Amino acid sequence: MTNSHETGARPGRPLLLLPVQTAVVAALGLLVSGPLAHRWPLSAEDGVNRTLAAHRTPFATALTDGVSLLAGTESVIALSLLCTAALLLVPRVPRWREAAFLAAAVAAQSAVFLLVTLVVDRPRPDVPHLDPAPPTSSFPSGHVGASVALFGGLAVLASRRLHGVRRHLVVGLLLVVPLFVAVSRVYRGMHHTSDVVAGLLNGACTLALVTAALLPRPREESEPPAPSPSVRSARRAVVVRHPRACDEGTAARVRALLRDHGYAEQRWTETTAGDPSGALASRLGGTDTDLVVVCGGDGTVRACADVVAGTGLPLAIVPCGTGNLLARNLRLPTEPVAALRKALRGQAVGLDVGRIRGDGIPPTRFAVMAGAGFDAAMVRDASARLKESLGWAAYVVSAVRHLGDPRMRLSIRLDGGTPLERRARMVVIGNVGTLQGGLPLLPEARPDSGRLEVVVLDPRGVTGWLAAAGYLASRAPGGRRQRASGAGERSLAHGALEYFGAARIDLRFARPQPRELDGDVFPAGTRLTVEVEPGALLVCLPAPARAGDLTGAGEEGGVHGHRDACSAAQ
């Protein structure tokens, strides 16, 4: 389950508002086609259509024919595929996020439009139609909504990539297209004025939600530069880089930002399949290092944390992986360089880590979650190609394949107590508890609590899965919250979820089970022993970093320890 925005934003959550948008547009359509149909200004719409139909000219008809064709279903699909392919194939480094954003904007708008037309049945204007009339409702205009999603989406991408006069020119031309489409649809007798206005609003709202969900805010341009360091304040940093996750462009920006913050001496090392920490231990040996920077995903962070924990060296996270769950739970921005900038302007805070061992797993540490059963099988079988193209959504595809896996038999011993016998689909031990999309798998988990949280998932059939999903959704931000109930057992969601908390957890499985730590797959086995190491890892976090700020739990308390500011230029 383990391996972008203002601090604390949760990517993906704005998409949950799409059903609300659909309901609002449908309700507006029912009003327009019902109680308000004969009231001004709606009562004057037929006059607008008749006036335009009476003054049609060959030039205007030919011009609007081309504009209307540009926003037709076949054209929008073809242009969307072409632009998506260009984003993936033309640049030296494929722009997966931007390609997914554009495709999602067009698809989401189309879905909202189709759902609304199932509810609203408004006839088209009573004038000669210049285009074949599809069987869908006149409200809202699908052509207009699709053009906003496509050309508005391209305008969003252009605004993030271009600068100066080119930026204003390209963005302006792209945004004019939906307006031309709206006028042409009314001129050609295909829609009322209110239909195209609703299409513009529907497309704009969809585009705004998808942008907020899938595209990080370009915060680098808005923040003031760090003060230039003096020669006496120069520090040394070791930077561990995952070569595939952190591209050359990101690496160059990280290098420059560290230099701006006083780290004049930088030693860079790359991870390998055989050494996910990039030989960090040897890089630290015999040197005076002030900071370790990790450019990668949760697996890379875990490997480096295992080396750094207990040394007193602060670690800064540059989230470049598939899940980046630790960075998300610590409320770092998900844009890599923005996260580093925030961290360098903050303080080093002592966080817990879990120390784990088992048959086939030498003693090592994790910072996010350790799992066995369904969770580990999902991580193990997630396609590497899909992870590159879809990101964390690739795990969802893998999860579907394992929904029918047999349950496992296990025993759980908490802090040396009496073993508890259970049957389950999976067991997860967490130092933090929130998954992608803000889903709180372990709602009480906090990285400074001095203990670890455990969840045993055992849904029975479709009802059990729905009960578990409903409970977790209710615990998401905005849902009901309650204080942690200590280390005692809590059985919830009609037995589909069972929670525990302890400083030491011993797991025994009747048969070898797949296992994973922070998104890294380990050999199947029958034993796991996990202990918490309170405050063992110093992580640079945006200040102020109080206990209640780390995971949004909102409880009072103190962190395990602070260090000086993470930047030499402060």
Side-chain angles (χ1 to χ4, degrees):
M1 288 186 179
T2 61
N3 110 230
S4 261
H5 302 63
E6 289 286 341
T7 301
R10 299 185 181 272
R13 288 188 57 79
L15 295 181
L16 298 177
L17 295 176
L18 284 174
V20 177
Q21 176 187 328
T22 304
V24 170
V25 176
L28 183 61
L30 293 175
L31 289 174
V32 167
S33 59
L36 302 181
H38 301 293
R39 296 191 177 186
W40 192 90
L42 298 179
S43 59
E45 287 188 307
D46 288 336
V48 173
N49 288 105
R50 286 193 292 268
T51 299
L52 290 174
H55 294 83
R56 288 171 179 165
T57 65
F59 174 78
T61 299
L63 179 62
T64 58
D65 180 56
V67 174
S68 189
L69 180 62
L70 183 66
T73 302
E74 295 82 3
S75 299
V76 168
I77 293 175
L79 288 173
S80 299
L81 292 175
L82 181 63
C83 293
T84 301
L87 289 169
L88 297 178
L89 301 177
V90 174
R92 183 176 61 85
V93 178
R95 296 172 181 169
W96 296 104
R97 184 189 295 273
E98 295 178 345
F101 155 75
L102 189 62
V106 175
Q109 189 284 142
S110 300
V112 173
F113 163 75
L114 290 174
L115 289 173
V116 170
T117 58
L118 294 178
V119 178
V120 180
D121 185 19
R122 190 186 195 190
R124 297 187 181 274
D126 187 19
V127 296
H129 302 156
L130 297 183
D131 295 321
T136 55
S137 169
S138 181
F139 183 99
S141 172
H143 281 64
V144 173
S147 66
V148 172
L150 175 57
F151 295 100
L154 292 173
V156 170
L157 297 180
S159 69
R160 300 166 65 88
R161 293 287 178 180
L162 303 179
H163 301 280
V165 177
R166 286 180 58 199
R167 177 182 184 180
H168 297 299
L169 180 61
V170 172
V171 171
L173 290 174
L174 289 170
L175 292 181
V176 165
V177 174
L179 298 178
F180 277 146
V181 173
V183 172
S184 71
R185 297 303 285 171
V186 177
Y187 172 89
R188 300 179 70 80
M190 304 308 299
H191 291 288
H192 305 278
T193 304
S194 57
D195 300 333
V196 298
V197 171
L200 290 170
L201 293 176
N202 183 42
C205 290
T206 304
L207 187 61
L209 293 177
V210 175
T211 301
L214 300 183
L215 290 183
R217 297 176 186 174
R219 292 182 53 81
E220 293 83 348
E221 298 177 2
S222 61
E223 296 200 11
S228 300
S230 64
V231 175
R232 290 184 300 171
S233 67
R235 288 184 175 183
R236 301 176 180 87
V238 173
V239 185
V240 180
R241 173 191 171 214
H242 190 297
R244 294 185 63 185
C246 178
D247 59 49
E248 293 289 348
T250 300
R253 294 160 65 204
V254 167
R255 186 177 287 107
L257 183 60
L258 286 172
R259 189 180 302 112
D260 290 343
H261 279 264
Y263 293 95
E265 182 180 333
Q266 302 173 29
R267 297 184 297 278
W268 285 67
T269 180
E270 292 189 355
T271 66
T272 63
D275 190 349
S277 73
L280 177 59
S282 63
R283 296 282 181 172
L284 297 178
T287 63
D288 184 14
T289 301
D290 297 290
L291 178 69
V292 174
V293 181
V294 183
C295 305
D298 288 314
T300 306
V301 174
R302 183 203 66 77
C304 294
D306 188 34
V307 176
V308 174
T311 66
L313 279 175
L315 182 145
I317 300 172
V318 181
C320 299
T322 303
N324 302 319
L325 285 186
L326 184 58
R328 294 175 191 269
N329 277 271
L330 296 178
R331 297 197 166 189
L332 287 168
T334 53
E335 201 286 319
V337 179
L340 180 59
R341 177 178 286 105
K342 283 286 188 181
L344 291 177
R345 293 181 174 178
Q347 291 177 308
V349 179
L351 303 182
D352 306 337
V353 293
R355 186 171 181 84
I356 189 168
R357 64 182 184 275
D359 52 324
I361 301 180
T364 187
R365 297 180 175 93
F366 68 93
V368 183
M369 298 177 190
F374 172 83
D375 168 57
M378 175 189 67
V379 173
R380 179 194 64 198
D381 296 336
S383 165
R385 180 174 297 179
L386 285 181
K387 284 196 291 184
E388 290 183 1
S389 59
L390 300 180
W392 62 265
Y395 293 122
V396 178
V397 177
S398 179
V400 173
R401 298 166 53 190
H402 291 282
L403 290 177
D405 286 359
R407 300 158 69 206
M408 60 183 176
R409 294 176 58 189
L410 71 153
S411 67
I412 307 171
R413 186 191 295 267
L414 305 171
D415 291 331
T418 303
L420 305 173
E421 303 296 329
R422 295 292 186 272
R423 292 178 67 89
R425 302 282 183 182
M426 77 174 187
V427 58
V428 173
I429 301 170
N431 187 40
V432 296
T434 301
L435 305 179
Q436 290 90 347
L439 188 67
L441 180 65
L442 292 156
E444 309 300 344
R446 291 159 38 123
D448 62 342
S449 64
R451 72 173 192 172
L452 299 167
E453 299 295 327
V454 185
V455 60
V456 176
L457 180 67
D458 187 28
R460 310 288 179 87
V462 175
T463 303
W465 283 105
L466 290 177
Y471 174 78
L472 294 177
S474 72
R475 298 289 300 182
R480 178 176 55 85
R481 283 195 174 273
Q482 61 189 43
R483 291 181 60 86
S485 55
E489 169 189 341
R490 288 167 283 146
S491 181
L492 300 163
H494 306 293
L497 293 165
E498 194 171 10
Y499 288 98
F500 309 91
R504 176 188 171 106
I505 301 102
D506 291 282
L507 300 177
R508 297 294 182 270
F509 307 102
R511 295 181 178 179
Q513 297 295 329
R515 299 171 294 182
E516 63 91 10
L517 307 179
D518 290 0
D520 285 340
V521 179
F522 283 75
T526 60
R527 301 193 311 274
L528 283 177
T529 297
V530 189
E531 297 177 271
V532 67
E533 294 186 2
L537 182 65
L538 287 178
V539 178
C540 291
L541 296 178
R546 300 184 302 273
D549 295 329
L550 296 179
T551 60
E555 299 177 13
E556 297 297 328
V559 295
H560 294 299
H562 287 276
R563 190 182 166 92
D564 293 337
C566 289
S567 174
Q570 296 193 14

